[in-house]
Structures are given as C-alpha cells and as structure tokens.
Amino acid sequence: MLRNKSVVFYGSTESRTPSIKDSIIGKFDEIIERLGILNVVRNKVVMIKTDLGYSSFISTIHPYIIGRIVKKIKDADGKVFVSDTLENYREAVYRGYTPEVIGCQIYPIAGIRDGYFYERYVDYKGLNILQLGGFCREADILLAISHIEGHNTAGFAGSIENIGLRCYTARTRYMIYKTMEWDKYFVREKCRNIKDMKNICPYNAINIVDDELRIDFRFCNQCMRCKIVDKNDCLNINRRNFESFFEAMAMAAKYVLEQYDEPNRFFINIALNMTEDCRYWGSITGNILPDLGILGSTDILALDKAT
C-alpha cells in the first residue's frame, strides 16, 4: 500500500516587507494554522515539550515564541502546559521562562524529584527500563517545539532528540548513552601505551579506570586521534558503538509517540541561533549556520530529515 507523502511546512527568515505577516513570527503563525493544531485543542490538554536551555547556554527558543502559541491554544479553548527535564526546569527562569511570561505553568517532565514516571521494560544493550516522564500522560496532545543545535552524539538535536531523550528521567537518559559502551572496544592485553591514548584526546572523553581505558561516548567527537597513537591495535571504535545510541533513542521516541493518537502529535523545529554544541555543554560556541527559519510537520521523521 502506498503511503501519502508527508508534508513539512517551512518559513524562512527572509522577508520582503516590514509587516508582521511577512516576518518569522508571521510565518510561525501560518505554520501553526496549516498544521491544524488549533482545530483539535478544544477541551483538550496540550503538552508543549520544548527546550528550556541549560546552565550558561542562552541560544535557545525565545520565550515569546512559546508564549505566542500558548495564547493561541487558550484562545481556542484548550488547556496547556510546558515541560522539559528537571535540570532544564530548574534554570528556566534565568532565560525568561516563567508562567507570567509564557502564560502557562512549567513542569519538570518527571516531577520535582525526577520520580514521577511510567516504566516500559525493554532489552537492549544494558537498557532494561524506560522511565517515561509522568507529565507525558497528563496531556491529550503533544506539541514538540525543538531548538536545532549541534549534538556530539546525535549529530544535531531536533524533534527526535527532544522527545527521545528529554521526555525521560535522568537515569534513562544516562542508560541510553551507555548503550554505546556495550560492544567491546578495548583489549587491555594488547595495549602498551594506554596513557598516550588518554592524553591525546582533546575532548577529555577518555579516562583510565582500574587500568582499563574507558571512553565516554557522549563527548567523543570521532576525531580518531587516539587511534593514531594506538600502536598495538587494541582500540576499536566503529559505527556500531554510535549506532547503539540512535537505536536506543528511537525506541524511546517511539514509546513517547505511543502515548498520543496520531492526529494529536505535532512537531516544530526552530532553526535559529544554531550552535556547534548542545545545551549541556553549558557554553556558547557561536553559530555554525545562518538562521534558517522555522519548520513544522505532523511527521517527526520527515521534519528532522528536512531540517
């Protein structure tokens, strides 16, 4: 059976006139209208799963954009709240995310102790349980508004990363990253210069624990400097290590999507102020691309591919 083609709406930052309608905000409004979000929110609860930023990272979604869609949902007789991870929630106020500014309550996805969750049992490379943030089930409709930025492991952070990682407890996110260490990559018996491999890593991704070399794949940039000094072929970093992360994140994203009927899932990517590193580095690395605009779709995969 042939499947209907997915549609991705795009609004660029370019404008031909000084009118609001021709601005990026006007195009955001049009994407909201074309997606049909406001047609289904009446007497429903909407969770806006967004990126509240972290630490000193300020290149995130402007609170005005979130507040604008919050008002539209309320005007359409819907109820709405915003959610993100506990870490991001704690510091959201420093980036202007408050109920007074955006017009609705903000909740940590798994509660203020990261202990409000629902479990799904899985069996994948040491990942045994997905702890889904409880606030995912407080809503009838999912609206994921994601900030596009670089990501050491995922390549870039978009809608799939937004829900596949940040709809979960810190414990689950940690275990998703740990799947990259499941396939053996270091043979100690063959190694004669373990310290050289550690010292050459410019990202501090390599540590020595109990005389074993350990790579924190969250920080590994695949520069392969460690392999250059590996004289005995004791280190084997390959695609499979990194693909484990993608597979685990995809499993987690699928579980989030299962919480909502297909007509009640909407995704928007904000491709503005795109930095090299993601929010958890806690610093600003400068924009790596010009501002592109805003994209929206009801198909999360099509949206991230288009982005």
Side-chain angles (χ1 to χ4, degrees):
M1 178 182 293
L2 293 177
R3 182 182 176 186
N4 292 333
K5 289 185 178 180
S6 298
V7 176
V8 176
F9 299 104
Y10 170 61
S12 76
T13 55
E14 296 181 3
S15 58
R16 297 184 179 89
T17 71
S19 70
I20 291 180
K21 186 176 181 180
D22 202 26
S23 71
I24 190 65
I25 294 300
K27 293 169 185 176
F28 174 72
D29 291 345
E30 185 173 352
I31 288 173
I32 293 297
E33 182 178 343
R34 293 202 180 195
L35 286 176
I37 298 171
L38 303 180
N39 298 332
V40 298
V41 300
R42 182 179 175 83
N43 298 325
K44 299 286 183 64
V45 178
V46 181
M47 179 179 77
I48 298 178
K49 175 61 192 72
T50 193
D51 173 14
L52 300 176
Y54 181 73
S55 188
S56 59
F57 193 86
I58 61 173
S59 296
T60 185
I61 300 168
H62 198 288
Y64 176 78
I65 292 178
I66 303 300
R68 194 171 181 89
I69 183 58
V70 166
K71 184 177 186 305
K72 288 179 180 293
I73 292 170
K74 286 184 171 182
D75 289 345
D77 294 325
K79 298 179 180 179
V80 58
F81 66 90
V82 165
S83 192
D84 199 3
T85 64
L86 178 60
E87 298 90 335
N88 293 359
Y89 164 82
R90 285 171 173 161
E91 299 188 347
V93 63
Y94 302 127
R95 275 165 291 281
Y97 286 98
T98 68
E100 294 80 10
V101 171
I102 66 174
C104 70
Q105 290 298 317
I106 305 171
Y107 300 112
I109 198 75
I112 59 173
R113 294 184 177 179
D114 216 31
Y116 173 36
F117 54 80
Y118 296 91
E119 293 185 337
R120 162 70 67 88
Y121 291 91
V122 295
D123 183 16
Y124 182 74
K125 296 189 175 183
L127 176 64
N128 299 316
I129 298 175
L130 296 174
Q131 295 176 335
L132 176 71
F135 276 97
C136 288
R137 290 193 178 178
E138 297 286 345
D140 307 297
I141 297 170
L142 169 66
L143 171 56
I145 304 181
S146 310
H147 180 246
I148 300 302
E149 58 204 31
H151 191 284
N152 248 37
T153 310
F156 80 97
S159 287
I160 295 175
E161 186 268 352
N162 185 3
I163 69 167
L165 284 181
R166 292 184 285 116
C167 278
Y168 289 90
T169 63
R171 174 63 180 172
T172 294
R173 298 196 305 274
Y174 174 76
M175 292 307 298
I176 288 174
Y177 279 106
K178 288 287 285 184
T179 60
M180 293 186 287
E181 301 177 22
W182 183 263
D183 295 295
K184 188 172 182 178
Y185 55 86
F186 178 67
V187 181
R188 183 65 184 95
E189 293 76 16
K190 296 172 63 176
C191 184
R192 298 292 181 269
N193 59 332
I194 188 172
K195 290 185 178 180
D196 292 338
M197 287 186 284
K198 175 186 183 303
N199 294 335
I200 202 171
C201 179
Y203 302 101
N204 295 319
I206 297 178
N207 293 292
I208 300 174
V209 180
D210 296 331
D211 203 36
E212 288 279 339
L213 184 144
R214 302 282 176 83
I215 298 177
D216 190 334
F217 285 96
R218 295 174 299 173
F219 304 126
C220 175
N221 205 39
Q222 304 176 58
C223 69
M224 296 301 173
R225 288 179 174 86
C226 53
K227 282 298 295 178
I228 294 174
V229 298
D230 178 12
K231 305 300 183 184
N232 306 102
D233 197 28
C234 60
L235 187 60
N236 181 28
I237 302 175
N238 55 49
R239 287 184 58 183
R240 190 63 196 147
N241 295 99
F242 295 93
E243 287 171 350
S244 300
F245 168 82
F246 288 105
E247 292 179 13
M249 184 172 65
M251 291 169 53
K254 183 175 183 291
Y255 184 40
V256 174
L257 296 178
E258 289 173 358
Q259 310 305 310
Y260 308 92
D261 295 333
E262 190 169 349
N264 293 338
R265 305 190 302 231
F266 303 92
F267 310 96
I268 294 175
N269 284 350
I270 309 293
L272 306 172
N273 300 316
M274 295 173 286
T275 55
E276 178 181 352
D277 293 327
C278 75
R279 69 201 70 80
Y280 288 106
W281 285 86
S283 61
I284 298 173
T285 53
N287 293 355
I288 56 173
L289 289 171
D291 289 344
L292 298 179
I294 297 175
L295 302 91
S297 182
T298 56
D299 185 326
I300 188 171
L301 181 58
L303 178 64
D304 272 7
K305 287 183 70 175
T307 303

